Every structure is written in C-alpha cells, then in structure tokens.
Amino acid sequence: MRIRKFWGWGFEDELLSEDEEKNIDKRIASTFNLDSIERLPIPKVNDIDLHTPKIKKPKSLEAIFSGDKLERLNHAYGKSFPDSARSILGLFPNPPDLVAFPTSEGDIYNILDWASSNDIAVIPYGGGSSVCGGVETYVGGGYKGVISLDMKNLDSIIDIDKDSRTALIQGGILGPDLESKLKEHDLTMRHYPQSFEFSTLGGWIATRSGGHYATLYTHIDDFVESLKMITPSGLYETRRLPGSGAGPSPDRFAIGSEGIMGIITEASMRLQDRPTFRSSCTVEFDDYKNGLSALRHISQAGLFPANCRLLDSNEALFNGAGDGSKHLLILAFESSDHDKTFALDRALEISKDFQGNFEKPKQSSDAHRSGSSGNWRNSFIKAPYLRESFTRRGIIQDTFETAITWEKSFDFIEEIKDRTGKAILEITGKPSLVTCRITHSYPDGLAPYFTFGAYANPETMIDIWKEIKLATNEICVSKGGTVTHHHAVGRDHRPHGYDNQIPELFNKVLVSAKSSLDPKGIMNPGVLIDPADKTIKNWMS
Ligand SMILES: Cc1cc2nc3c(=O)[nH]c(=O)nc-3n(C[C@H](O)[C@H](O)[C@H](O)COP(=O)(O)OP(=O)(O)OC[C@H]3O[C@@H](n4cnc5c(N)ncnc54)[C@H](O)[C@@H]3O)c2cc1C
C-alpha cells in the first residue's frame, strides 16, 4: 500500500529528483535575487505532537473509527498552499480527534446521529484535495470534538444503464478508479479536474468542480442526473430525470453544498462514449486583445472545442509551451461520433480574422499529447509537485481563479494582474509576476486563472499568504467577478470574498435550510455560511 504525503501532493515516494530541486533553487535565486536558499526538511510523523483526542470512539461504531496519528495528520488539512506550509512546519493545532471510515450508508446514519447527540462537528472528506480550507478541521470552540468522515470505502459503481448512458456511483470513488471501471464498458464520465488522481465523485459534486475541458460539459453540475445525500435529519434523495421543470432543482441545491448539509453517498451520473476523433492546433497571437477576441468568437460560434485555453505569453513561457514572446491559444476538438476537422478549420479561420498564426493542424488520436499542447499538458500534471518544493523554501507559489462576462473581460484581467502584482509588492517588498490562462470559456464570458509567486520565508510565509489571499478575494469580487469559478468557497474564500458576494437573502435561505437538515449545526461548520446560532471565527481572520 502506497502512503499519501500528509504534507503535500501525491504519494510519499513521489519526490522531485535532486536535479529538479536544484533547478528550483536556481529559478528562485534568479527571480528574487538571492545568494543562497535553504530547504526545510520533509516533515516526519514522529516529530509532530498532536493533542490527545477530546472525544472517545463510540462503542457501537468502534471498528470504523481511527485515532491513528498519521490518519489524524492526513485529515487535518486539504492541499492548499497554507495547508502544505503548516504541515511542513509541523503546525497541527486543530487535528481531527478521530477519523471515521464508514463502510455503508447505515454507518453514516449512525455516525451523524451520534455526532448530533454529542455536539461533535463532522467534516466530510473525499480525496482531501480541497484548496480552500474545505476539509480543515478547525471549527472554533463551540463543539465537544471534531471528526473527519472519510468516504473512501464507499467507492463502487452500483449500476450502469447503457440505454440512458448513466451510472449509479458511490461518492467515495476516486477519479482513476471511476474511469477505469467505466472503461470496461467503453464509457467515460470525461470529468478531469487537475486533481483527478486524488479527488472523488462526492467531492466533485460537493464543490461544483470544473473539469479540464474548456467548453460545453465541463462543470460536474451537467453530469448529475440525481443524487442521494444523508443529512442529520434523514435522507435527501432526488429523482432520476433527464430534465424537469418542477420548481427549484433539488439536485442543484445539493450540488455545491460543500458538506454543510449532509454527506453525498451516491449519484446517478450522465456518461459519454469514449472519444476517438481528435484534432488540435496551437495559434499564436502578438496581441492579447486579439487572442481574447478570437476566443470569444470561437466560444460564440457553437463549435464547442474540448480545449480552448488562452495562455498569456508569460504563462506559456513558464509552462514550457512557448518562448514568452507570443500569447497562445491551444485548441482541441474531439468526438466519439464524427470527425471534427470542420470545427477546427472554422476555429482557425476565426483565429486568422484576429491575426492568429498557426502551423498545419494535427489530426491523430493523441494529437493533444504533442507540441505546445503536449508540453502544456505535462506541465499541468507536474505543477502540484513543483509547488510543494517552493513551499519547502518558504516561497509562495499559488493560483486563484474567477469568472467574468465578455464585455468586461480585457480590463478585468489586466486590472487583476496589475492590482495583484501591486498588492504582492506592498506585502512582500519584492515584485511578482502574475500570469493568466483562460481555463473555461462560455458564450457569455470566461474563467481567468491567475498564477503568482511571492517572496517570503518559512517564518513569514503563512501570514504573507493570508494577506495576499484576502487581497485577491477582495479584488475578484469588487471588480464584479466571482471569488471562485471552480475551486469552491470552503473557509478561505469567505472573508472579503464569498461573504461579500452572496446575496443577503440567499444567505438567510441557506442558513434556514441548514437548520432544517442539520439542526445542531454539526456539518462542516464555518464552510460557506455559519450555522444559525453560531459564529465560527475563520482561521484566516
Ligand atoms: C493540484 C490541485 C488541482 C486542482 N484542480 C482542480 C480543477 O481542475 N478543478 C476543480 O474544480 N478543482 C480543482 N482542485 C480543487 C479540488 O480538487 C476540488 O475541489 C475537488 O472537487 C475536491 O474533491 P475531493 O474529493 O478531493 O474533496 P475534498 O477535498 O475531500 O472535499 C472538498 C469539499 O467537499 C466536501 N465533501 C467531500 N466529499 C463529500 C461528500 N461525499 N459529501 C458531502 N461533502 C463532501 C468536503 O467537506 C469539502 O468541503 C484542485 C486541487 C488541487 C490540490
């Protein structure tokens, strides 16, 4: 059994080579003009002290609870920059008292009953890949204890309906397991967030995750046909329907509920046939505005590219997809049913109208794995492993994402890059380059995704990250965007962000819905909203 790193991404045996580490040293030294760089050691379980659990395992459920130290460490945080930073520094002031591993829905009912009757907070845990404090076990002082409820044992595909092309799937299944089981039936769900390897169906639904595809079916919302959620008040189950006009959608209410209403135990998911036709091409633009205009026209032409990512010139450079002189639009089309060359040709015609230059398009089933798009793909997969190496040197390497309508898009992106750069300079005293890629595009707008590096050291990195996070939350929302397009709200996107963005009356609706489903306010307190009679002080404030 491979063991996952409690302090970073992937398994314990997946470390960068010494050459890769030295390259990172060089990159940091030249970016921040430093003579030498210290690396914090990889933390060891035995060097970390955890407080004694405040609660005892319930007798009747003893077999599904663990108080093991590594499990408590692994379930204390998700995988954001501060999660990794605190783990590397050995800072675990609020670990879960216990971790529960239910093996059936019956177990979940029993755990929620026990937790409700004993004032114990429950943090649902899928793959633990949250980057916004969604699985953090900090719940303030208003509970007798806190448990993490890990869904990993509920990981089956219960049924496949080939006629309707859907499958009934349990919430704890991880991405690779899900796809390999569907492959046996020549089917795919075709939902690939960057965290695919270590995230679950239940987590995707709970966070409204966004897949890797740039248009059309990419948000998990579109794939959910129906779902089952176990709440402290009982079963919340929706009806399997291809569509329905019967009032507000009970599915949509649960999708994105981030574990504050109940545990999503299974869902009937819409599937697709496996794509066999693929064509792709990379277009270069000298002018970013032209690249954006091409992207908009392609998004509004009904062509629905699978990939349609606009990388600004620096983003292209840092991902090995260009030399930093051009902005790149990576285009890819795919279908299980028909050749998509016509769609690629039309997208290229549009690009040409906006002074885009390109080489002869490729048409092969693995076209997306070569050239600039292949380099981009490799860098995309490697990114989370690189980030934790920066963290070990006290350097902040992070991202944030948002969405905006087309009419504001250019000014919005420029202003966010500019204001974020200025905020980082003010906070750290050193300049930072903020780069942007457009990850998703819609007929009415787009989702820009920003990456930045910021100078700090191991003592200051967490406080500096907090200041930058509060600034970027504020910048995105005050400029009319959203605090997140697909990374969810969790705890970290609330201050200056979601708390300002959520309509006041909708907040009240959510609070009262939570009071019905979770009267004791035990489910993931502090995420999205506060329970009716409690204020959960955010760890960020
Ligand atoms: C390197 C990296 C890349 C990422 N890339 C993407 C990306 O491309 N697209 C994207 O959308 N996100 C991305 N994320 C964020 C994260 O992976 C997603 O939010 C993902 O959907 C979380 O799934 P999970 O199973 O890991 O959930 P967890 O992290 O375990 O939980 C996330 C939230 O959902 C709740 N939850 C989990 N399971 C359940 C359940 N069964 N029932 C009720 N609530 C539940 C948790 O309490 C928590 O609030 C990325 C994260 C990392 C670290």
Side-chain angles (χ1 to χ4, degrees):
M1 269 266 287
R2 294 173 82 191
I3 297 174
R4 281 189 65 185
K5 289 176 203 159
F6 69 85
W7 53 275
W9 190 242
F11 294 105
E12 276 186 347
D13 53 56
E14 290 176 307
L15 296 173
L16 295 188
S17 68
E18 196 44 37
D19 278 351
E20 287 173 312
E21 295 282 8
K22 281 187 182 145
N23 279 339
I24 289 179
D25 282 340
K26 274 191 211 147
R27 197 164 136 187
I28 293 172
S30 73
T31 308
F32 297 109
N33 206 9
L34 305 173
D35 296 331
S36 66
I37 292 151
E38 301 281 311
R39 264 183 242 171
L40 289 169
I42 290 173
K44 295 197 180 71
V45 175
N46 289 341
D47 297 341
I48 298 168
D49 288 326
L50 294 186
H51 68 65
T52 313
K54 292 190 279 273
I55 50 174
K56 289 202 163 55
K57 295 178 193 171
K59 271 268 169 293
S60 57
L61 299 168
E62 204 161 353
I64 54 168
F65 273 89
S66 169
D68 176 72
K69 189 172 177 186
L70 180 58
E71 295 296 2
R72 292 177 70 204
L73 290 174
N74 251 322
H75 290 80
Y77 296 125
K79 298 295 173 199
S80 66
F81 170 82
D83 294 341
S84 190
R86 287 176 291 180
S87 304
I88 290 170
L89 291 167
L91 302 175
F92 287 88
N94 305 293
D97 292 298
L98 297 167
V99 183
F101 296 96
T103 57
S104 66
E105 291 186 348
D107 284 346
I108 296 178
Y109 282 111
N110 290 332
I111 294 169
L112 298 191
D113 271 356
W114 165 77
S116 286
S117 330
N118 291 286
D119 227 353
I120 291 163
V122 177
I123 314 297
Y125 188 99
S129 67
S130 168
V131 278
C132 54
V135 291
E136 174 156 1
T137 44
Y138 172 79
V139 292
Y143 297 86
K144 294 206 176 100
V146 55
I147 64 161
S148 179
L149 188 155
D150 188 321
M151 287 291 288
K152 75 174 185 183
N153 294 323
L154 281 88
D155 63 347
S156 306
I157 295 193
I158 300 167
D159 186 37
I160 293 188
D161 172 353
K162 279 225 160 187
D163 287 342
S164 316
R165 219 174 51 180
T166 59
L168 184 61
I169 309 171
Q170 286 190 305
I173 197 166
L174 286 165
D177 195 18
L178 167 65
E179 280 298 332
S180 75
K181 283 178 176 151
L182 290 177
K183 197 174 179 185
E184 292 167 17
H185 301 269
D186 257 340
L187 290 165
T188 173
M189 206 170 88
R190 204 173 164 274
H191 183 71
Y192 297 107
Q194 190 187 17
S195 53
F196 175 74
E197 211 181 339
F198 299 108
S199 55
T200 61
L201 176 66
W204 297 339
I205 298 175
T207 58
R208 301 187 65 196
S209 64
H212 152 82
Y213 297 105
T215 65
L216 210 57
Y217 307 119
T218 185
H219 258 282
I220 197 72
D221 312 31
D222 298 321
F223 300 113
V224 179
E225 190 189 41
S226 68
L227 54 77
K228 207 185 213 187
M229 181 166 77
I230 297 179
T231 77
S233 294
L235 179 63
Y236 180 103
E237 189 171 16
T238 68
R239 184 174 285 222
R240 268 193 71 200
L241 290 168
S244 169
S249 162
D251 295 312
R252 295 265 166 173
F253 170 77
I255 301 169
S257 57
E258 300 195 24
I260 67 165
M261 304 289 178
I263 310 278
I264 296 161
T265 55
E266 55 185 55
S268 178
M269 301 300 294
R270 302 186 175 106
L271 306 176
Q272 300 176 59
D273 294 325
R274 302 185 74 77
T276 44
F277 297 92
R278 285 199 176 94
S279 41
S280 74
C281 185
T282 300
V283 184
E284 296 181 346
F285 292 91
D286 289 321
D287 181 61
Y288 188 67
K289 234 179 189 170
N290 276 337
L292 267 189
S293 298
L295 182 64
R296 173 164 72 85
H297 281 82
I298 292 168
S299 306
Q300 292 174 343
L303 298 169
F304 303 121
N307 201 348
C308 190
R309 273 194 166 72
L310 181 65
L311 315 183
D312 73 14
S313 53
N314 286 321
E315 177 84 16
L317 175 68
F318 293 139
N319 286 287
D323 62 7
S325 63
K326 311 274 183 203
H327 312 288
L328 300 185
L329 178 61
I330 298 177
L331 283 169
F333 289 84
E334 52 180 61
S335 165
S336 60
D337 183 73
H338 52 269
D339 188 0
K340 297 282 278 191
T341 313
F342 72 95
L344 177 61
D345 288 347
R346 178 67 196 121
L348 290 174
E349 263 176 29
I350 294 172
S351 302
K352 226 176 183 172
D353 291 344
F354 294 96
Q355 282 79 54
N357 295 310
F358 48 87
E359 288 169 20
K360 201 169 170 288
K362 297 193 179 70
Q363 286 165 43
S364 75
S365 59
D366 65 351
H368 60 304
R369 290 177 197 268
S370 57
S372 296
S373 66
N375 290 347
W376 152 256
R377 197 173 176 276
N378 293 339
S379 162
F380 182 73
I381 292 165
K382 192 92 189 175
Y385 295 95
L386 292 179
R387 194 190 60 184
E388 69 202 29
S389 283
F390 284 89
T391 314
R392 282 182 56 208
R393 289 142 172 101
I395 300 294
I396 301 166
Q397 179 81 10
D398 207 3
T399 62
F400 60 99
E401 31 80 68
T402 179
I404 196 76
T405 44
W406 281 113
E407 91 285 5
K408 297 188 193 133
S409 58
F410 179 76
D411 291 344
F412 180 79
I413 293 167
E414 291 303 302
E415 193 168 342
I416 289 202
K417 285 206 273 192
D418 183 54
R419 280 187 58 189
T420 304
K422 284 185 179 142
I424 294 175
L425 178 61
E426 203 172 294
I427 294 165
T428 67
K430 292 212 188 250
S432 163
L433 194 60
V434 183
T435 66
C436 178
R437 63 183 188 248
I438 309 300
T439 57
H440 299 79
S441 49
Y442 303 91
D444 56 337
L446 75 180
Y449 186 108
F450 300 93
T451 301
F452 62 87
Y455 178 73
N457 62 49
E459 286 81 52
T460 59
M461 63 181 167
I462 294 169
D463 286 340
I464 287 185
W465 178 87
K466 257 193 224 173
E467 273 194 71
I468 297 173
K469 188 67 181 174
L470 293 174
T472 56
N473 283 358
E474 192 277 328
I475 293 169
C476 289
V477 173
S478 67
K479 295 311 300 173
T482 170
V483 74
T484 174
H485 171 263
H486 56 264
H487 278 170
V489 174
R491 295 173 172 81
D492 303 353
H493 283 145
R494 282 189 61 188
H496 301 319
Y498 187 67
D499 288 350
N500 296 355
Q501 177 181 342
I502 185 173
E504 206 179 317
L505 272 181
F506 187 60
N507 190 318
K508 284 191 177 161
V509 170
L510 280 187
V511 172
S512 61
K514 184 170 168 69
S515 299
S516 300
L517 297 175
D518 173 24
K520 296 282 177 64
I522 59 162
M523 299 301 303
N524 225 355
V527 162
L528 281 173
I529 52 168
D530 286 341
D533 53 347
K534 291 192 168 80
T535 304
I536 314 289
K537 199 170 164 289
N538 194 292
W539 84 274
M540 305 246 304
S541 46

